[in-house]
Amino acid sequence: MNRRRFLFPIGFLLFSLGISVLLSTVSRAAPSPDALLPSDTAEVHFRVMGAKELARLVDGSRETVVTVEAGRELTVYLVPDREAVLSGVILKDFFGVAGVTLAISGDGVNWREIVSERKVTAGKNEISFDPVSARMVKLTMKAGKEAVSVAEVAFLFPEQGTVDVKDVRFEDISEHSATVRWRTTLPEKTSLLYGLSTVELTTTSTPQADFSTEHHVTLTGLYPGTEYFVWILAGGRSHGKSVEEPYTFRTAGDPYPIPTNIRVSTGIGTAVISFGTNVEATGKVLLEDVRTGQVREWETEKGREHSVAIGNLRPRSFYRYTLKVRDRRGRTTTYPPGKFRTRSFNIARGAPVIGSFRQLLPDQMTEDTRPALKRITDGRYDYFRGMATSGDLTDTYQWVQVDLGRTQEIESVETIWRGNAYPTNFALMVSENGKDWSYPGFSLNAFAGLSERSERGDPLLRLEVPVGGKKVRFVKIFIPKGRNYYTRSPSWRFVQLSEIEVNGVWKGTELEARGGGEEEEGN
C-alpha cells in the first residue's frame, strides 16, 4: 500500500507558482485540481498539476477559459490516471495560439518531445502523431502578438482494432534460458507471462518501448528440463494455443527439483506453508521475521507433497520465507523468497456500534438488509455492502462508538474511510467506562493514512493510531461540525466509514479466535 503523494522536480513547482501569476480566468469557479477530471474519453482521465485554474482545461466545459498574456507561454502538466497511449491532441475554443509543443515522460524528469511548435488554426485544431505511451504529458502553448485563450484540451487515442498474436516461436532453448518471438496483426505494446504452472506466473515486458508488430524476449534464470507455461498479453486479452490453453516449452537437460503450487494460509499468530515438487525430494522452509531479522527453519520428508505448520508468530506482522528442495541425486534448488502477513487480532469484529453514521448509500445496488452501523465492524470494505454514511457535517457534529464488551488491552485503532469522502479533522477517543475519555488521536486527517483498494476496487484510506497497550472498552470517533471533510462532489456534506478495527494485545492464548485462516498463492 503506497501513499497517494508523490514528488515533482523543484523547478516544476517554481514554474507553477510563476505561471499562476500570469493566468487570468473567466466564468465559473474552477473545480479542485485534486480531483480526476475527465477528458474526451471514458477510459482515461487526466489530472492537471500546478496552478489551480489550469484544471479548467480538462473539466469538460467550454464555458471555463484559461488565458495568458501576449508574448508569453502557457505550459500545462497533465497526469493520466494510468499509463495512457496517445495519438493526438485537440484544442477547443481557442484564440491566439501561435504554436503547440508536446512532450511525454514516464517519470516527470526525463522528457521526450513529440510535437515542436506546431501551428494550429480554427479550421485545423487537431494535431496527430504516431501512438506513444506516457505517464505524464507536458503541453506548451505559445502566444503570439495577442493573448492566448483556451477553453479545453482533449487527447486522441489509437483506434481499437482487433489485435491477434501469431507466429509464436521458442528459439535458442538451453538449460537456463529461451527466446520467445511473436508477431501481432497491429502495432501494439505487449507483455508476456510465464511460469511453472498456470497460476505461478512472472510478468516480463518486451524490450520494445513503443508500438511494434515484431516482439521478442529472452527468458533467463530458468530451471533445466522443466516445462514452462506462457501467455502473451496483447490488445487487452491473453493469447495462447487456445482460449484456455497456454503456449508451452521445455528447457534442455534433466529436471531439477522445483517447488510448485505454493500456498500460504495465515492465522492470527500462525501460518501453514504448503507446496509440491516436480520430483521426489526433501524440503526445507526458512522463515525470517522481517522486523527482527530472526530466522527459523523446518525440514520436510522425501516426497512430492510438503507442508509446514508454524506457530508463535506476531499478528499483523510480515514474514519472508524461502523454500529449498533436494532430490535423491543431491541437486538442490532454492526458490525465490516469498512474503506473507499474519492476520490482525481485530477484537472489534462484530462488536455493537452506536452513533450518527446511520445512512446507506443512495444507490439502487446497495445491499439494504442490514443497518448502516453494523457495517462498521463487519469486516467488509466494499462500496455496496460495507459502507456507512454520516449525517450532514455542516448541520451538526458526527460520531460513532464501538463497545468491545469488556475492558481489553489494545495496541492501536485503524479507521478505514472511503477515498472519495473522508474527514480532514477528527478525534479518536478511548475509555474504560464510557464516561472518562482520553484522546490517542486529535486533529486527525484521514488523507495521512495509507491508500488501498477493496476487492471491488473501491478507493480506501486506512489510518492507524497507536494506543500503546491501554486498557479500553469503548472506542469513539468524533468529527466536529463544519467543513472538516473532503468529498469528490461539492454537493456532498457527509463522510463514509468502511470499518473500525481495534488491534488487541496478542498473548497467543486465543488462537484463531476470529475464524479460519486466509490463504494466498505463493510467488
Side-chain angles (χ1 to χ4, degrees), residues 345 347 407-411 469-472 502-507:
F345 183 38
I347 58 178
T407 300
Q408 303 183 62
E409 295 179 41
I410 65 174
E411 290 185 348
K470 185 184 291 290
K471 291 184 177 180
V472 169
V502 180
N503 298 307
V505 175
W506 174 249
K507 298 180 180 179

Side-chain angles (χ1 to χ4, degrees), residues 2-14 16 47 49-50 77 79 105-111 135-136 447:
N2 298 320
R3 294 187 180 274
R4 304 183 342 156
R5 300 169 179 171
F6 40 36
L7 301 178
F8 288 87
I10 293 176
F12 164 65
L13 296 177
L14 294 176
S16 298
R47 178 172 61 183
M49 307 302 298
Y77 291 80
V79 182
S105 174
D107 55 13
V109 177
N110 302 298
W111 293 89
R135 294 188 180 275
M136 290 186 66
F447 186 73

Side-chain angles (χ1 to χ4, degrees), residues 50-71:
K52 181 177 180 180
E53 294 84 356
L54 293 176
R56 302 183 176 198
L57 292 173
V58 288
D59 65 358
S61 172
R62 298 192 181 190
E63 297 179 27
T64 55
V65 179
V66 172
T67 65
V68 67
E69 298 174 4

Side-chain angles (χ1 to χ4, degrees), residues 152-230:
E152 197 74 10
V153 173
F155 289 95
L156 300 174
F157 301 84
E159 292 186 8
Q160 297 298 314
T162 301
V163 178
D164 287 320
V165 172
K166 59 182 181 179
D167 299 337
V168 178
R169 308 180 302 282
F170 298 95
E171 302 175 348
D172 303 324
I173 298 176
S174 68
E175 289 188 346
H176 300 289
S177 65
T179 297
V180 188
R181 297 183 182 276
W182 66 96
R183 297 175 59 199
T184 50
T185 54
L186 295 173
E188 178 74 356
K189 287 182 67 176
T190 64
S191 61
L192 178 147
L193 296 175
Y194 73 99
L196 301 174
S197 73
T198 56
V199 296
E200 296 173 17
L201 301 174
T202 301
T203 304
T204 177
S205 297
T206 58
Q208 293 82 3
D210 284 321
F211 288 78
S212 176
T213 57
E214 299 287 340
H215 312 269
H216 76 277
V217 63
T218 298
L219 308 177
T220 60
L222 306 179
Y223 296 113
T226 301
E227 184 179 39
Y228 283 87
F229 298 84
V230 176

